[in-house]
Structure formats: C-alpha cells, structure tokens
Amino acid sequence: MNNPDNQNIAVAANKAVISKMQDKMTTKTLHTEILYNLSTSRNITQSLMKFGVGESDKNMLVGVIEESGEDRTDNVLSHFKGIISPIEELPKFSDTALIKKTYKIKDSELAVSTLTDSVVTRIATRDFTSV
C-alpha cells in the first residue's frame, strides 16, 4: 500500500513505539505493529495482508527502527535489489485512488482537507472510532 507522504508512516510508527513502551502492543513485533497502525481495520491479519509485502509488489517502503546510536540501515538495505529512492519521492509511487478507497475518503472531504490529513486522522483516531 502506498501512502501520499511520510507523515502517515511517522504517525503509525510513533503509535507503535508508544504501544511498545507501554507494553500494550496488539501484534508481536514493532514492525507488524506499524503495519497494523496503518490500517483502519482492527483485524491484524487483514492489516498485514493489505499493508505488508505481496508477491507482486515492485515498490516498497523499508523502514529501519534502531536504538539511539545504532546504524543498521546499510545492513538492512543490502538485502534488497533495486533502486533506492529518498523518502521525498514516496508520493510519485502513490496510488491516490487506492488510498482514497482504502481509507474511505470521499472527494467532498478533500474539499476541506488534504489527502494526507485525512489519512493521518484515520490512523491517529482508529483506537477511538469503530470502522
């Protein structure tokens, strides 16, 4: 699943780290917790299927979570083949129609909000709303 910019990823990752610090993670690992937080579903399996890597995926966002002072990025990236693009290029890989469908965002909402703000709001408030 593509996202319009990295703010969405940052919110999901922040929620995951806070959940881990409070020992309240819904999933077993920090990485799956991030994928779970990107989803509007409370179903872990559905979240991982939708936001995880699929066999036909050609583009992916790789996030490296490290403790202060660590630098594992080069080691992690050495396991991937292809072109590495900076995070600023993430929007060019985004499928706006799919994002709108996934997060149930209507054009009327975008008249008063940006796509990014709408997605971030859904990610940030999922725990307080029922979808």
Side-chain angles (χ1 to χ4, degrees):
M1 173 70 198
N2 296 313
N3 287 285
D5 70 29
N6 59 2
Q7 185 178 8
N8 308 344
I9 308 303
V11 170
N14 187 57
K15 282 182 68 172
V17 169
I18 289 170
S19 294
K20 183 173 180 161
M21 289 172 36
Q22 295 175 344
D23 200 28
K24 294 182 179 181
M25 290 199 324
T26 304
T27 66
K28 293 181 181 179
T29 71
L30 191 56
H31 300 92
T32 56
E33 193 76 9
I34 293 169
L35 297 176
Y36 176 69
N37 285 330
L38 284 170
S39 179
T40 57
S41 171
R42 293 179 193 228
N43 182 301
I44 296 169
T45 303
Q46 283 181 350
S47 300
L48 299 181
M49 287 175 57
K50 186 171 284 193
F51 290 90
V53 177
E55 287 187 32
S56 64
D57 290 343
K58 296 187 188 301
N59 300 308
M60 70 176 66
L61 176 67
V62 176
V64 180
I65 301 169
E66 28 189 61
E67 296 289 329
S68 180
E70 284 184 307
D71 188 5
R72 301 180 316 157
T73 304
D74 290 337
N75 182 37
V76 170
L77 294 178
S78 71
H79 297 283
F80 295 90
K81 293 179 184 176
I83 299 169
I84 299 172
S85 301
I87 191 78
E88 294 80 21
E89 292 185 20
L90 187 59
K92 82 177 190 180
F93 299 104
S94 298
D95 181 342
T96 302
L98 180 58
I99 294 166
K100 287 167 60 177
K101 178 180 175 187
T102 299
Y103 289 99
K104 298 177 181 157
I105 298 170
K106 305 225 181 302
D107 289 334
S108 58
E109 180 178 347
L110 296 178
V112 294
S113 179
T114 66
L115 183 59
T116 298
D117 288 345
S118 294
V119 173
V120 167
T121 299
R122 282 161 174 76
I123 291 170
T125 61
R126 182 194 64 191
D127 298 332
F128 305 107
T129 60
S130 60
V131 177

